[in-house]
Structures are given as structure tokens and as C-alpha cells.
Amino acid sequence: MRCYLKTFRYFFICFFLFFLLLNVSFACDLPGHFKFDVSNSEEEILYSGCYDAINLGPHIIEYILTKERAEATGIRRPSASFTQNRDGGALQRLLTQHGYSLPLHRDFTNSGYDRGHMAPNADFNDTSENALLTFFIANVWPQTPQVNRVEWLRTETETRRLASEYQHIRVIIIVDEFSEERVGNIRVPSSFKRRVYDLYSGDLIYEININQ
């Protein structure tokens, strides 16, 4: 009986979070922008995005972070390349239909910029599969080593702390400002914006812009 109640509670929480995500999802209706979802083998949507096919990176990344996932340990960072098909290839097919394409992992090589996660693998390292699914080329922007490894990393750490405090939070990353620099055809952002909301109240609990 106890096992049954535990299983019921798990599915109730998953359904509740999915319902909330449906009701707070973002718009992706700008020209050259395309919505995508990345799901694991359990059909859980880990994170969603609005891909900017003009500048070649995610305009918005959104996900729900739970206390349990934020505090998970023991999964090592995957040694993996960023691929075009962590979503099963759905976004690449959609882009191809509209005359666009995703960049490649090698496009960043020797550029002087890091491949900066927007949805970080450390927020999904409760399982190896979930961590690996963040290595999606549609989930990264060029970031300087100082931004990626120091300044942006601090905001990720603070986000996980807030998940521990508030139990369930909604994380939104926005990139809509750019410099004149490019990595190949990829525009280099001049600013990264993070917004964190208490999932239950909807209150904004953390807001920061990181410039590079």
C-alpha cells in the first residue's frame, strides 16, 4: 500500500508540473524563430526553447527545476559533443523545411569562445540520460571563458540554491542582444538574461543580466 501511494504521489507531481508548464509556456512567434522541446525516454519534457534561426542560437530556454533534481549528485559531466538531434531531430527537420539549419559542434572550435549551455547539464544530472540531453547545439551560445566558467556559472549555482529553497522554480533564459562579432555564422550575444520564478506563486525571485 505504501509503495502504491508513493507511485501515485510521483505521477501526481509530474502531472501537476506538466499542467503548470502548459499554462505558463512562452510565445515563439517572431520571424525566423521556432519552438522546440527536449524530452527524455520517459517522455518528460526537460526543457523547451524558442530557437533563433537568424542568429543561430536559443532566443529563449525555459524549464522547471525541482529541489530533488537541483540537489542530485553522483552523475559525472558527460564527455560528449553537442549534436543536432538531442530532440530526436525534430527541430533540424523543421528548420530545413523553412530553409534554415542548425550549426555544428565544430563551428565553435578554436573560436576563443566556449560552448555555453543555457539549460546547464548540472541542472539535469539526476540521470546520465538527462545530463546528456543538454548537449544539444540549439541549447548553446558562444560565451567567453570568463562568462561561461565564472559569471554565468555563479547564476547557475544561485538558481540551484533557489530550487532547494522554493522546492519548484521556473527558469527562463533570454538572449536577444548581440555584438557585431560572429563565430562562423553564429552571432555572439552581448548579454544573457536569467529570470527565476517561484512556480507556485508566480513571483519573480531572481533576475540578472550578464554582459560580455
Side-chain angles (χ1 to χ4, degrees), residues 92-107:
Q92 175 71 330
R93 290 190 293 272
L94 179 61
L95 292 175
T96 300
Q97 292 171 11
H98 290 82
Y100 299 104
S101 183
L102 288 167
L104 299 168
H105 179 93
R106 64 173 179 265
D107 292 340

Side-chain angles (χ1 to χ4, degrees), residues 108 111-115 142-145 179 181-183 188 212:
F108 288 77
S111 68
Y113 288 91
D114 288 354
R115 302 169 182 88
Q143 289 185 322
T144 65
S179 70
E181 294 187 60
R182 291 181 181 268
V183 171
V188 175
Q212 72 171 359

Side-chain angles (χ1 to χ4, degrees), residues 85-146:
N85 63 354
R86 300 295 183 195
D87 67 337
L91 178 59
Q92 175 71 330
R93 290 190 293 272
L94 179 61
L95 292 175
T96 300
Q97 292 171 11
H98 290 82
Y100 299 104
S101 183
L102 288 167
L104 299 168
H105 179 93
R106 64 173 179 265
D107 292 340
F108 288 77
T109 303
N110 299 322
S111 68
Y113 288 91
D114 288 354
R115 302 169 182 88
H117 282 82
M118 297 298 99
N121 72 284
D123 283 4
F124 297 94
N125 65 358
D126 52 333
T127 71
S128 297
E129 178 195 14
N130 289 347
L132 184 62
L133 287 172
T134 67
F135 285 75
F136 184 26
I137 202 66
N139 183 39
V140 300
W141 280 111
Q143 289 185 322
T144 65
Q146 171 66 22

Side-chain angles (χ1 to χ4, degrees), residues 114-117 143-154 156 212:
D114 288 354
R115 302 169 182 88
H117 282 82
Q143 289 185 322
T144 65
Q146 171 66 22
V147 168
N148 183 43
R149 305 174 200 181
V150 181
E151 297 173 38
W152 193 242
L153 180 61
R154 287 195 192 111
E156 295 174 353
Q212 72 171 359

